[in-house]
Amino acid sequence: MATRKVLVTGACGFIGSCFVRTLLARDPDVHVVNLDLLTYAGNPKNLASVEGSSRYRFVRGDIRDEALVTELVGDVDCVVNFAAESHVDRSTTEKAGAFIETNVYGTFVLLEALRLHRPTARFLQIGTDEVYGDVEAPGFPDEHSLLEPSSPYSASKAGADNLALAFSRTHGLDVIVSRCTNNYGPYQYPEKLIPLFITNALDELELPLYDGGTQIRDWLRVEDHCEALLLLLDRAETGEIYNIGANQEPERSNAEITEMILECAGRSKSLIRPVTGLRPGHDQRYAVSTQKLRALGWAPQADIEEGIARTVGWYAKNRSWWEPIKSGEYLEFYERHYGLSARR
Ligand code: NAD
Ligand code: DAU
């Protein structure tokens, strides 16, 4: 990789931290600055393994802070924007304003700083497949498909993608947009389906499965996502969008993923608690065409059974990472949202 100084935003979160660990390990010449606000989802422990590196610097701050962002972009070769409010349920049942402020306005602040102070830097906007909305089988939207976001979260991400692409077209910035399917793996905040169900199963708590569990997501290991992003930083065409996904065959429903988790954790299906009404506008199926990315030479490295087994193993061994998270604000949200107890 030719890049030398990279500003990564939101790297105390799940995917950004995997990306930084991988980037520093892969490229001995790269220097990384991590700008993260440390919201409820940000956790510096996710990057404990690189904290001592002279090639890594953490700045606690907000991507909406124009002065700070201006200072940080001054000498970068590229910016990778992971920073976001990322949980769909919080965008539908709580106030959606934070999603608009960080995901849309925050992305604008980064783009504007690059336009004014560092117009040659590459900008990688980390987007989501959810912008294509509910995809009827057997459809696989490609990068030119219509955007039909269903939730305030996915609408805010579509807004960010469009802003980034507009800055490419209007101001000539070197922008790339990636749109990935659902990730899973180590260090994922236990509000999303897989880490929530794994940690609940390990603690023998109920697994609140929404709406019959028939929905399809195209689960991808976070490590495979980050490999794709490194490839894109190097090889993507400027101004282009790239879908990223596992293209699971066969596709797996949430109920099937739940059963895999229970089996790996050695727990009974009686822990499944069917619930309805907690995700208004619930999308039935996500899927994307990944031909454009695969033409660059990328392919995922693990299938879902192996990936889930490894992930259950990681959470079983790393209780010291997730047990402290399941307290305070976490429990308040959990009990408010699910009306269930998350206390052991
Ligand atoms: P996450 O919620 O685990 O982490 C988000 C990080 O952003 C946290 O560290 C948080 O502190 C930080 N942050 C939030 N607001 C900020 C602000 N205003 N300024 C600076 N930092 C801020 O999220 P994740 O699951 O790692 O997702 C990362 C990105 O990838 C997001 O943009 C998300 O939309 C996208 N994405 C996620 C998935 C997935 O399955 N998790 C799939 C596709 C795309
Ligand atoms: O598709 C990419 C997106 O994947 C990312 O852009 C988002 O940031 C990320 O959160 C994820 O969104 P989802 O809404 O698909 O993920 P989540 O894990 O919240 O839900 C996955 C499926 O599981 C969905 O059909 C809802 C269901 N679910 C979720 C939770 C939290 C349940 O059945 N029970 C639950 O408690």
Side-chain angles (χ1 to χ4, degrees):
M1 170 187 285
T3 303
R4 288 292 174 264
K5 185 154 184 193
V6 182
L7 173 63
V8 185
T9 70
C12 290
F14 164 50
I15 307 173
S17 64
C18 178
F19 179 79
V20 167
R21 289 191 301 272
T22 313
L23 178 61
L24 286 169
R26 191 67 51 81
D27 181 349
D29 297 320
V30 78
H31 287 250
V32 173
V33 176
N34 167 19
L35 172 62
D36 196 299
L37 184 59
L38 297 185
T39 66
Y40 77 91
N43 186 347
K45 285 186 194 161
N46 297 0
L47 284 171
S49 64
V50 302
E51 243 168 32
S53 167
S54 57
R55 296 184 292 120
Y56 171 73
R57 180 159 80 98
F58 171 53
V59 177
R60 184 174 188 179
D62 196 324
I63 61 166
R64 294 165 293 179
D65 181 339
E66 219 177 291
L68 178 60
V69 166
T70 297
E71 181 194 320
L72 292 178
V73 299
D75 59 349
V76 296
D77 298 296
C78 75
V79 176
V80 185
N81 183 28
F82 291 94
E85 289 293 335
S86 69
H87 191 36
V88 172
D89 285 340
R90 289 180 188 254
S91 83
T92 58
T93 59
E94 309 270 305
K95 286 183 182 160
F99 287 74
I100 313 305
E101 287 171 20
T102 284
N103 302 1
V104 184
Y105 181 68
T107 302
F108 163 75
V109 171
L110 292 168
L111 290 162
E112 185 70 348
L114 287 180
R115 177 177 83 80
L116 294 172
H117 306 288
R118 194 69 177 171
T120 54
R122 173 153 270 206
F123 182 80
L124 172 54
Q125 171 63 16
I126 307 299
T128 168
D129 67 339
E130 291 201 25
V131 296
Y132 300 117
D134 206 342
V135 179
E136 201 175 313
F140 288 91
D142 69 17
E143 290 78 358
H144 299 292
S145 296
L146 194 64
L147 302 188
E148 295 187 278
S150 305
S151 69
Y153 162 71
S154 50
S156 71
K157 294 295 289 183
D161 287 7
N162 283 337
L163 264 178
L165 294 167
F167 269 68
S168 165
R169 166 112 186 198
T170 301
H171 300 302
L173 286 194
D174 180 8
V175 164
I176 321 163
V177 172
S178 65
R179 290 185 181 146
C180 192
T181 59
N182 290 60
N183 284 215
Y184 68 97
Y187 301 104
Q188 186 168 25
Y189 191 85
E191 64 186 350
K192 311 284 165 55
L193 179 78
I194 288 181
L196 172 64
F197 280 18
I198 292 175
T199 53
N200 276 13
L202 292 173
D203 277 350
E204 299 194 67
L205 294 168
E206 290 177 308
L207 313 188
L209 185 60
Y210 297 168
D211 304 326
T214 57
Q215 299 74 24
I216 303 289
R217 299 290 183 269
D218 185 27
W219 299 100
L220 182 70
R221 281 190 334 146
V222 65
E223 294 88 347
D224 285 325
H225 182 189
C226 291
E227 289 295 338
L229 296 175
L230 290 177
L231 183 69
L232 290 180
L233 273 184
D234 241 7
R235 303 264 311 275
E237 294 286 334
T238 191
E240 292 290 317
I241 304 164
Y242 292 83
N243 291 340
I244 305 174
N247 296 128
Q248 297 287 346
E249 250 189 73
E251 294 182 338
R252 308 292 188 157
S253 69
N254 293 343
E256 288 172 299
I257 297 290
T258 305
E259 286 176 20
M260 276 183 216
I261 289 172
L262 287 168
E263 198 177 319
C264 292
R267 300 288 191 246
S268 150
K269 284 188 206 169
S270 62
L271 284 180
I272 297 174
R273 164 86 167 236
V275 296
T276 54
L278 293 190
R279 184 162 295 200
H282 195 176
D283 286 331
Q284 181 62 27
R285 175 176 176 266
Y286 296 145
V288 285
S289 162
T290 58
Q291 278 176 11
K292 190 170 168 181
L293 172 67
R294 285 173 193 255
L296 297 180
W298 175 89
Q301 296 303 302
D303 66 22
I304 186 77
E305 280 88 0
E306 184 193 336
I308 293 286
R310 282 189 354 206
T311 306
V312 172
W314 188 88
Y315 285 87
K317 277 199 213 95
N318 289 280
R319 277 182 172 273
S320 61
W321 179 80
W322 57 267
E323 278 181 351
I325 293 173
K326 290 196 163 194
S327 62
E329 198 275 346
Y330 177 91
L331 291 181
E332 280 165 33
F333 172 76
Y334 194 92
E335 290 171 5
R336 193 163 68 239
H337 179 67
Y338 292 103
L340 294 172
S341 172
R343 291 165 214 267
R344 284 188 289 159

